[in-house]
Amino acid sequence: MKIVIVGGVAAGLSAASQMTRLAPQAQVIVLEKGSDVSYAACSMPYNLATPGTPVEKLYALSLDTIQKERGIDYRLNHEVTQIDPVRQEVAVSDLVNRKDYREAYDFLVVATGNQSNRLTTPGFDGEDVFYFRTLDDTRRVKNFIREKSPKQVVMIGSGYTNLEVAEVLFEMNIKPVLIDKAALILPMMTAETREKVLDKIAEKQLDFFVSTDVLEKSGSVVKTSAGDFDADLVIVAAGVRPNTKLFADAGGELGVAGAVKVDRYLRTNFDTIFSGGDCAEHYVRQLGTNGYVPLGPVANKQGRLVGNNIINNQDMRMFFGIDQTAVFKFFDLTVGSTGLHEKQLQDLGKSYAKVSVDSPTRGYFPGGGRMRIVLLFEKGSGTLFGGEIVGQDVVAKRLDILATAIYNQMTVFELAELDLSYAPPYSPVWDPILVAANQAIKQV
Amino acid sequence: MKIVIVGGVAAGLSAASQMTRLAPQAQVIVLEKGSDVSYAACSMPYNLATPGTPVEKLYALSLDTIQKERGIDYRLNHEVTQIDPVRQEVAVSDLVNRKDYREAYDFLVVATGNQSNRLTTPGFDGEDVFYFRTLDDTRRVKNFIREKSPKQVVMIGSGYTNLEVAEVLFEMNIKPVLIDKAALILPMMTAETREKVLDKIAEKQLDFFVSTDVLEKSGSVVKTSAGDFDADLVIVAAGVRPNTKLFADAGGELGVAGAVKVDRYLRTNFDTIFSGGDCAEHYVRQLGTNGYVPLGPVANKQGRLVGNNIINNQDMRMFFGIDQTAVFKFFDLTVGSTGLHEKQLQDLGKSYAKVSVDSPTRGYFPGGGRMRIVLLFEKGSGTLFGGEIVGQDVVAKRLDILATAIYNQMTVFELAELDLSYAPPYSPVWDPILVAANQAIKQV
């Protein structure tokens, strides 16, 4: 059996690895148009902070390991330019040797990832404007910082990634100016969580402008509806969109957010073509339908399942889905959410209640802090719909308690019955999760 | 309505507070034989390390707050010497004013806690021998250390508390020698977890002797079957037992481990007497029956429920129970377990499998470490029975993911489907919990 995988980052390499693990005799070819092997994209902001650590340290595996130990025919700088789903072959350009060829497949995996939305505003095509999405973007930003020693960065967009990058640059003494055209930062979060992020932005005295249009860049000045800003460097994170042109041109069907439409087995509209990762849809358990939540863990999980479902094609498993869990670091805060967002609940017309509870994260033991927990739950039944935590100390893995609760469709009554661990270095006697659950019970 | 509570630490104060909260007009009398108000007992080891912080900093609330804000008639140095369940009254000794009196009640709460097993070995009655269980014990140990500057401590018993105290004393340059008569440290833990604790003991070059009998103490020398040890200070933690004499003398029925026998409503064999905390039984959900697990959170939860069930006596709620979750810190390790122990599974004759998986706790981001996760689960079904984690970084709240899974009777197949949070500062892309679950699946 011969499998061709288009794209070799998270989902692509996961799929390939699972296939050679399950079927060592299978021929697995990964065609990656870039010159970097699969890398830890989410770690890119933090690599900026360590000039002595090359970006290649983020490689998930060396090319040698991928090829020799895993037995994957992993080809860098090979771009797929066309898919022919009838003949079951792809057209490939070897970008280094400038050679075109065709590669037949029994199964194809579309793992083409996503791309940054580009700014078309005048002046944003210079060498001091960066999109921070690929390892090569990181390499270029890092080189620019080393060579030009920028003092001020204008950051367009204030999503997770730009907030992470803003912190890193701030700590490197590169002053961030954050510009967002939207009226609200983190629009999927509740106002209660957003408030804490805004408080931190104020505490750090970051320049931050919402409802602001970027008008043009002229030399090193970024002109906006909120005024002009000097920019030694510009980083744009104005959303992403799935890379689907190749697939769509071949007659492939697209779905939510323009991503590759997949069924629960991660099959596309072609029986021999599967898809996963940032280019594909992701099944959201609570919605009972596909959404688009391009994050690292889901790409890895989908990739692995695609590998399984191709090799065990007569015994496929359904993708079990996600609960939209996401988290990021912003200075001493961790900000995370799991389950349905308040806005989704409103759009779905759900009858819900919300509590927001501020708690210390430890009692007597030093090193603790404070956290805010927001619970969203159904009026009447108390079923937990979603949770957010923003604060210090251990936030992410407390959020995972809520993610586990949501997986199990627990009510806030049940949440209050959990036997959570307690010792002074880790928690107050009543863990903040239990405190929040007990408050929620009063609002059911 | 008049309620008398015997004992004012965790369960006693929780019950009292809940009652005055629900029924401000109720007369709530707490009779505490000690001279300290309710305190954070689990934090006592860490208070040792800060000589400048008085032990009274561990008070949960000031006496003034308890009496004035919460409206509780909280009497220190008042010992209950007899319960008369027929007349519904108790005999009380005011230890300071040396006055005896009787107090009638509509409802009585037995919250008498537990006590250390005393060593009857010759020589262990001196002023350099301590039991580390009450705030007053802590006060006395602290004074002794300040006055005598001990260099070596012989610690008898190697349970959670003595391991916590050993770390604290070690860091204060008081060399611990740990002696245990049992063959195994942490006998309820799996060998896999125990190994990591023993590795840490070896790394710190602590003297540690198992299967060792303490023969006598002569002057400052502790004689044991493993040799003689100089002891400037001795700390004994050779198990605890519930304080039930008062209750038993009144005809009260005892249950598991000699604790006060309670039903699911936390009633004793007398309709008007309730009990909770370290003197009482604790419902273990997975066993479907009562056990004896004297820990802070369960005492607080039971106390609160007792308060509720007395005030709302016509609408009582069942105690929801525990899953035996417990955790402690030992140097840079956190050691915790939740659910059924391997030994319990063996005693129950369960058909179980076990996996032990070592993982890094973060990928690229600095500050991580390694952890070992042990999962115990049913052969055939894969239902999670228990979990242990030992290691660095965030252990306790990861353990709580397993506690939440056990509450929900999840299988390891389901555990592998959790959508746990990921960002480089908090976790690898595949959280160690998911890695362990995926390994477990292969053994079902």
Side-chain angles (χ1 to χ4, degrees), chain B residues 229-290:
Chain B
F229 300 98
D230 286 325
D232 303 325
L233 167 65
V234 175
I235 293 181
V236 183
V240 292
R241 60 175 193 276
N243 287 326
T244 55
K245 184 168 188 306
L246 186 69
F247 178 70
D249 284 351
E253 201 175 330
L254 304 183
V256 177
V260 174
K261 186 178 172 68
V262 289
D263 66 11
R264 290 295 297 280
Y265 300 102
L266 303 181
R267 276 182 309 201
T268 68
N269 56 314
F270 304 112
D271 276 357
T272 56
I273 306 183
F274 288 69
S275 185
D278 291 355
C279 64
E281 295 178 330
H282 314 111
Y283 183 75
V284 179
R285 286 188 278 250
Q286 286 176 291
L287 296 174
T289 181
N290 283 344

Side-chain angles (χ1 to χ4, degrees), chain A residues 224-363:
Chain A
T224 79
S225 58
D228 296 353
F229 301 98
D230 285 326
D232 302 325
L233 167 65
V234 175
I235 293 181
V236 182
V240 292
R241 61 176 193 275
N243 287 325
T244 54
K245 184 168 187 307
L246 186 69
F247 177 69
D249 284 350
E253 201 175 330
L254 304 183
V256 177
V260 173
K261 187 177 172 69
V262 290
D263 66 11
R264 290 294 298 280
Y265 301 101
L266 303 181
R267 276 182 310 200
T268 68
N269 57 314
F270 304 111
D271 276 357
T272 56
I273 306 183
F274 288 70
S275 185
D278 291 355
C279 65
E281 295 177 329
H282 314 110
Y283 183 75
V284 179
R285 285 189 278 250
Q286 287 176 290
L287 296 175
T289 182
N290 283 345
Y292 183 63
V293 187
L295 294 171
V298 62
N300 281 277
K301 289 169 182 170
Q302 284 194 328
R304 188 182 280 197
L305 189 71
V306 164
N308 180 79
N309 284 355
I310 287 174
I311 297 302
N312 299 318
N313 198 240
Q314 301 308 310
D315 183 25
M316 294 197 296
R317 293 205 306 263
M318 288 205 288
F319 177 56
F320 42 79
I322 58 168
D323 296 315
Q324 305 188 115
T325 309
V327 68
F328 70 98
K329 179 177 182 295
F330 189 55
F331 295 96
D332 63 339
L333 294 183
T334 300
V335 189
S337 68
T338 182
L340 295 175
H341 301 286
E342 188 170 19
K343 190 173 174 315
Q344 288 176 309
L345 294 175
Q346 290 165 348
D347 291 348
L348 291 167
K350 294 279 186 187
S351 171
Y352 72 95
K354 172 170 67 169
V355 293
S356 169
V357 179
D358 293 354
S359 309
T361 65
R362 305 185 195 181

Side-chain angles (χ1 to χ4, degrees), chain B residues 158 177-182 207-212 224 226-227 229:
Chain B
S158 57
V177 178
L178 288 154
I179 309 280
D180 206 310
K181 70 176 177 192
D207 288 319
F208 176 55
F209 302 90
V210 289
S211 304
T212 299
T224 78
F229 300 98

Side-chain angles (χ1 to χ4, degrees), chain A residues 42 47 58 285 301 323-325 329 334 364 396-397 400 407-408 410 417-419 421 424 426 429 431, chain B residues 42 47 58 285 301 323-325 329 334 364 396-397 400 407-408 410 417-419 421 424 426 431:
Chain A
C42 302
N47 179 272
L58 298 182
R285 285 189 278 250
K301 289 169 182 170
D323 296 315
Q324 305 188 115
T325 309
K329 179 177 182 295
T334 300
Y364 180 79
K397 296 298 130 184
D400 287 346
Y407 178 95
N408 289 289
M410 287 176 79
E417 297 185 351
L418 288 177
D419 189 8
S421 63
Y426 313 116
V429 180
D431 191 276
Chain B
C42 302
N47 180 271
L58 298 182
R285 286 188 278 250
K301 288 169 182 170
D323 296 314
Q324 305 189 116
T325 309
K329 179 178 182 296
T334 300
Y364 179 81
K397 296 298 129 185
D400 287 347
Y407 178 96
N408 289 289
M410 288 176 78
E417 297 185 351
L418 289 176
D419 188 9
S421 62
Y426 313 115
D431 190 276

Side-chain angles (χ1 to χ4, degrees), chain B residues 2-4 27 29 87-90 92 101-108:
Chain B
K2 182 173 169 187
I3 301 104
V4 170
Q27 186 186 357
I29 301 168
R87 293 188 173 187
Q88 295 191 197
E89 60 180 36
V90 292
V92 190
Y101 64 100
R102 297 182 81 83
E103 196 74 68
Y105 63 79
D106 295 312
F107 287 99
L108 184 74

